[in-house]
């Protein structure tokens, strides 16, 4: 090993030196031969040379083998038609200078030193430290190499790759949820199984892009390192959640793409077995992934779908269980239901806001298999083909998503309400919250997540965005919900109006019941009932789009000059006070903007406290009037209310 590193040092030149003529090739790692099935067709010469003791020549022959190899394919890399964005060009070129693109939340990229410091941690956000080890600039460097033919990209990639191997050895790694990352060994960042799995997937891309420029010595190190990655995953799977799914999917990729490894079939089988099992565990019968986060739901669809594509492309589709495809289909179906007509998603849980450009490649890929779903086809073709579903509003009761919509196009009004079962890490205590979209504008964007985890400062920022009261739901004394386990009391969408009713045992001593009436599919009336022995302050929290303002009469409204606005009024049968508070919305990591956040408060003794809210889409809020009152006392068997909008009366009633 010493001799190897002496030679590797030659490769570990500062960035400027990387532009000099090629340093000498890496010595071979003979361990590679024991990892490969040398009796595989096509490997005869490799085997013969290895048996004859000429491993140098065997390694050269191995490189030759991979350059000629056929029968293995990946639908995810096209080395002929290189698709590269300007952003990827920048990541690649900055990567050549060791300014590494690690995270969109931390731009411009940091410089990691002429002699790369893989432990550099300029901001103690765990994601910044972990995601460095995904080397997101490497595949773009491969594309630049293909695009320009400039071998400096390949030489620099090989140098950085070997530098990373040398400085980030896999030492003892114990899987634990309780590692103190501020003081943890580097191995817990560089070899976290999620990062390892990411590298398993994208080193396939790098391998294919750089294959014409590889030298045989490097190839042997690459393969030994890749094998170590796959084996590390098999011994350190995450317990649950999207991490486990990613790890399984990428182990499948490793097994399918490098069948030359003796362990490849086992990796493939293990990954497929986990995916086949977890699609039953992690995906509810209504299609939603159990973290209840639209972003990780999308990620999960692509995990299951991409594994399916990879296995299908290489003839292993039969190894996935019956029902797998239908489950993925249902995941796509719930996604287009809960998303808005402009492709954007509610930012529930840790979700970021995705847009059309982000979603289109996924829909286009899904349409290849689910093109018989007319809505998938419509989304994939931006409306040129396909058609909208033959229904409007829809409840997904198991996962607790209720979609109330007037249409599917840009002129529609749509509320997506979230009131589901307990969920996992990326979920937040937000039961009863909603986003409301009208004619292209989201009037109640979720606060988002802003950051994930890290030092105390980072965790406090995260905590701000995940707390209950920054969601559009009801709290007791401003506290986070103690329990998040909503169930459906009522759902009706047959007539002119929709009704949804959900209930959450929010606190030990207080239950929150929320009724949503989508009256004539034109405006919303929300009735909130807080009952139980609790005494204290009950708050009804609303968090608005930037620019919304609170008026002296306690109403809230927007005043966009394009005439696409809302008017919100809250009433109660208890005395009401309204209080404006700090409000933020974060649509992407580490970015946020100020917005109106307000709580309508009522004091609660032993009796229930009730609120009634009217949300009216308007052209000009000052030109409209709204009144509402609850009829009768709190009734566990139903609700009744009188609402007056611009002089017209509506009698709302629902009996359970
Ligand atoms: Ca949230």
């Amino acid at each position: 090993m010493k001799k190897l590193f002496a030679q590797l040092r030659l490769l570990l030149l500062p960035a400027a030196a990387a532009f000099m003529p090629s340093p000498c090739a890496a010595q071979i790692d003979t361990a590679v031969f024991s990892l490969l099935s040398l009796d595989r067709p096509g490997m005869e010469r490799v085997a013969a040379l290895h048996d004859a003791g000429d491993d140098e020549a065997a390694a050269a022959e191995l490189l030759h083998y991979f350059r000629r190899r056929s029968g293995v394919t990946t639908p995810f890399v096209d080395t002929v038609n290189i698709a590269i964005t300007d952003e990827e060009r920048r990541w690649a070129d900055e990567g050549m200078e060791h300014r590494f693109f690690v995270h969109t939340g931390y731009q411009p990229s940091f410089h990691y030193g002429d002699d790369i410091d893989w432990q550099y941690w300029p901001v103690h956000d765990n994601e910044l430290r972990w995601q460095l080890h995904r080397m997101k600039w490497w595949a773009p460097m491969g594309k630049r190499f293909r695009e320009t033919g400039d071998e400096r990209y390949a030489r620099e990639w090989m140098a950085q790759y070997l530098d990373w191997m040398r400085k980030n050895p896999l030492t003892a790694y114990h899987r634990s949820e309780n590692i103190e990352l501020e003081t943890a060994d580097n191995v817990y960042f560089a070899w976290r199984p999620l990062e390892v799995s990411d590298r398993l997937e994208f080193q396939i891309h790098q391998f294919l892009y750089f294959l014409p420029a590889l030298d045989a010595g490097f190839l042997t190190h690459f393969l030994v390192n890749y094998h170590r990655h796959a084996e590390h995953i098999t011994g350190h799977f995450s317990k649950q959640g999207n991490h486990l799914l990613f790890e399984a999917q990428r182990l499948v990729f490793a097994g399918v793409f490098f069948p030359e490894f003796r362990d490849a079939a086992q990796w493939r089988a293990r990954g497929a077995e986990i995916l086949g099992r977890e699609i039953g565990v992690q995906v509810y019968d209504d299609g939603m992934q159990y973290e209840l986060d639209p972003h990780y739901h999308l990620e999960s669809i692509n995990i299951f779908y991409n594994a399916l594509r990879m296995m299908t492309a290489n003839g292993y589709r039969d190894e996935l269980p019956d029902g797998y495809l239908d489950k993925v289909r249902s995941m796509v179906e719930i996604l287009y239901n809960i998303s808005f007509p402009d492709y954007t998603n509610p930012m529930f849980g840790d979700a970021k806001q995705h847009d059309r450009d982000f979603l289109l490649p996924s829909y286009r890929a899904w349409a290849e298999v689910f093109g018989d779903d007319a809505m998938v086809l419509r989304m994939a073709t931006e409306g040129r083909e396909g058609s909208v579903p033959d229904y409007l509003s829809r409840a997904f009761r198991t996962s607790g998503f209720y979609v109330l919509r007037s249409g599917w196009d840009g002129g529609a009004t749509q509320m997506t309400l979230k009131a589901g079962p307990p969920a996992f890490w990326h979920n937040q205590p937000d039961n009863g919250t909603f986003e409301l979209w009208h004619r292209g504008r989201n009037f109640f964007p979720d606060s988002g997540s802003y950051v994930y985890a890290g030092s105390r400062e980072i965790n406090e920022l995260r905590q701000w965005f995940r707390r209950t009261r920054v969601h559009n739901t009801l709290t007791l004394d401003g506290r986070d919900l103690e329990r998040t386990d909503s169930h459906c009391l009522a759902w009706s969408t047959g007539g002119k109006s929709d009704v949804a009713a959900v209930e959450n045992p929010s606190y030990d001593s207080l239950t929150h019941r929320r009724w949503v009436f989508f009256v004539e599919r034109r405006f919303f009336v929300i009735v909130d009932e807080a009952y139980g022995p609790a005494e204290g302050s009950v708050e009804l929290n609303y968090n608005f789009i930037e620019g919304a303002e609170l008026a002296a009469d306690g109403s809230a409204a927007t005043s966009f000059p394009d005439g696409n606005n809302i008017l919100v009024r809250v009433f109660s049968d208890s005395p009401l006070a309204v209080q404006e508070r700090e409000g933020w919305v974060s649509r992407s990591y580490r970015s946020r903007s100020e917005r109106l956040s307000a709580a309508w408060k009522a004091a609660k003794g032993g009796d229930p406290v009730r609120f009634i809210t009217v949300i009216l889409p308007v052209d000009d809020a000052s030109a409209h009037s709204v009144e509402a009152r609850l009829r009768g006392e709190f009734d566990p068997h139903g609700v009744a209310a009188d609402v007056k909008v611009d002089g017209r009366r509506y009698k709302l009633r629902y009996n359970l």
Side-chain angles (χ1 to χ4, degrees), residues 347-349 428 430 446-448 465 471:
M347 295 184 290
F348 299 139
Q428 297 175 341
D430 61 359
D446 191 272
S447 293
F465 283 85
H471 295 87

Side-chain angles (χ1 to χ4, degrees), residues 347-351 418 426-430 433 435 445-449 465-468 470-471 595:
M347 295 184 290
F348 299 139
D350 279 337
K418 176 177 180 284
H426 288 293
N427 187 47
Q428 297 175 341
D430 61 359
T433 197
E435 285 199 359
D446 191 272
S447 293
S449 61
F465 283 85
R466 77 186 302 280
R467 67 179 81 179
T468 303
V470 305
H471 295 87
R595 47 91 161 260

